[in-house]
Amino acid sequence: MAAPTWVFSMFAFIGFACVTVPLPWHMESWNVGTCMYMIWTGLACLNLFINSVVWSHDVLDKAPVWCDISTRFMIGSAVAIPAASLCINRRLYHIASVSTVMKTRAQRRRDIMVDLSIGLGIPILEMVLQYVVQGHRFNIYEEVGCYPFTYNTPPAYPLVFAWPVAIGCVSAVYCALTIRELAQRRAQFKELLSANQNLSSGRYFRLMGLAGVEILGTVPIGCYSIYLNASAEQIEPWISWENVHSNFSRVRQYPSIVWRSSTLGENSIELSRWIVVVCALIFFAFFGFADEARKHYKIALTSAAKTLGVSTASWGNDLYVLPTALFCRFD
């Protein structure tokens, strides 16, 4: 039995908060891959949250321009999160394998441009390529909201469905190479990190854990998604561009009782949106309880306490005293 709509809406908003709150201090480290992972995941959660709230009880085409933007963003974010993970794995490998500790400004600039090309270029390219097999404008599902439509034809698999798996496989290669380099150069590890002032050994291994878990999820889930697309509907032959895009402006609307009547179809839709929330929660699990995060939480709570006129002199270093003190202020 599917969870009520409000449950997904709640978790989608929590996922948005989990990756948005830590973003400012992660941007200080200039780790493009991590920042893009947070931005893409956070915006994807927010997009899904808005859709689930606006279309929680109907399928009316009440915001067509929003749906055009929302569905195009869904197409991009489906490959953007694996692409951001690829950037993370690529950076970790380069740190573990470099022969010189210091990098020139030109080398750092080039690394940033390459990461942006992967983390932004691939999703934008995917948004363009999906239009080739976009059979009509979009669908609207009750409880889900706007949803992109990809015509189930053979070209759709290399153009759209296979990209997450391909990116995940490349990430897996980088991850394996990083582990090999670390095993061979353990004695030099601290020296290698010294060139990255904002990357401690703890953050390095947390990034490895995040990227590794993402790989373990991307490849099998991507393969399962391909299976669902191939099984839920009949694969239609490609006839022509005109055939695929005929009556392109139409919008199909599906009440929940209709789209949930197909187990494979329901699994495909629910998987595509819940996996984004899981990505956000996994990020928070790795970084939400780190020493750096607790330090920033304390700074924020201390600032809030001072604004409310609560003395912080007696709190010391105990972060968990802060909420209690704030509560007692109004007792």
Side-chain angles (χ1 to χ4, degrees):
M1 183 177 179
T5 305
W6 67 266
V7 174
F8 175 81
S9 300
M10 177 184 67
F11 275 100
F13 189 80
I14 291 173
F16 166 70
C18 284
V19 295
T20 302
V21 172
L23 180 60
W25 66 80
H26 278 274
M27 293 186 72
E28 296 173 2
S29 66
W30 283 94
N31 187 340
V32 178
T34 306
C35 292
M36 285 194 298
Y37 185 98
M38 299 170 72
I39 292 170
W40 277 109
T41 306
L43 291 178
C45 286
L46 181 62
N47 179 41
L48 293 170
F49 166 76
I50 293 172
N51 279 326
S52 66
V53 171
V54 174
W55 283 277
S56 59
H57 299 295
D58 61 61
V59 292
L60 299 178
D61 188 11
K62 60 185 77 173
V65 175
W66 163 261
C67 283
D68 285 331
I69 298 171
S70 174
T71 53
R72 191 57 50 192
F73 183 84
M74 289 181 189
I75 294 296
S77 63
V79 299
I81 297 174
S85 179
L86 172 58
C87 292
I88 295 173
N89 272 304
R90 180 179 170 275
R91 185 191 183 203
L92 297 179
Y93 169 69
H94 285 168
I95 292 173
S97 62
V98 292
S99 56
T100 59
V101 174
M102 300 302 296
K103 279 191 173 185
T104 65
R105 180 175 297 182
Q107 289 174 322
R108 290 195 294 269
R109 188 184 300 115
R110 183 184 61 191
D111 288 341
I112 291 174
M113 295 305 297
V114 172
D115 284 343
L116 289 174
S117 298
I118 296 172
L120 289 178
I122 291 178
I124 291 173
L125 176 62
E126 174 70 344
M127 294 179 194
V128 174
L129 292 177
Q130 192 269 345
Y131 182 72
V132 175
V133 288
Q134 182 181 353
H136 57 261
R137 195 170 175 184
F138 53 81
N139 294 333
I140 298 177
Y141 294 90
E142 184 181 4
E143 301 178 6
V144 175
C146 314
Y147 203 84
F149 175 76
T150 300
Y151 187 55
N152 197 14
T153 187
Y157 290 82
L159 291 176
V160 180
F161 301 138
W163 278 69
V165 177
I167 295 171
C169 290
V170 177
S171 285
V173 172
Y174 271 112
C175 188
L177 292 174
T178 301
I179 294 173
R180 187 191 68 178
E181 290 292 338
L182 289 177
Q184 294 176 349
R185 309 175 68 179
R186 286 177 295 179
Q188 298 174 272
F189 183 64
K190 290 186 178 180
E191 183 183 0
L192 295 172
L193 287 180
S194 65
N196 297 267
Q197 298 177 0
N198 294 312
L199 187 64
S200 64
S201 60
R203 180 180 286 190
Y204 185 95
F205 287 112
R206 286 195 299 274
L207 285 171
M208 278 197 67
L210 172 67
V213 170
E214 200 277 332
I215 292 169
L216 293 175
T218 295
V219 176
I221 291 176
C223 292
Y224 181 60
S225 296
I226 292 174
Y227 162 76
L228 289 176
N229 282 294
S231 304
E233 297 181 1
Q234 181 180 350
I235 299 177
E236 303 291 342
W238 173 273
I239 298 176
S240 66
W241 176 278
E242 290 74 18
N243 175 262
V244 172
H245 294 85
S246 62
N247 195 17
F248 183 80
S249 61
R250 70 187 185 278
V251 174
R252 290 181 176 175
Q253 298 150 294
Y254 299 92
S256 58
I257 194 173
V258 173
W259 68 267
R260 290 192 185 278
S261 63
S262 168
T263 302
L264 288 177
E266 180 183 12
N267 289 345
S268 179
I269 292 172
E270 292 287 12
L271 178 64
S272 67
R273 63 178 190 156
W274 274 103
I275 192 62
V276 177
V277 177
V278 171
C279 287
L281 298 179
I282 289 174
F283 179 89
F284 187 77
F286 277 104
F287 291 95
F289 303 101
D291 291 339
E292 180 187 30
R294 292 200 296 269
K295 179 186 73 175
H296 283 85
Y297 297 155
K298 181 178 179 180
I299 293 172
L301 287 172
T302 302
S303 177
K306 290 180 178 178
T307 301
L308 295 171
V310 178
S311 174
T312 62
S314 60
W315 292 358
N317 295 321
D318 191 353
L319 172 65
Y320 303 102
V321 174
L322 304 183
T324 304
L326 288 172
F327 177 78
C328 293
R329 173 72 173 77
F330 301 97
D331 192 357

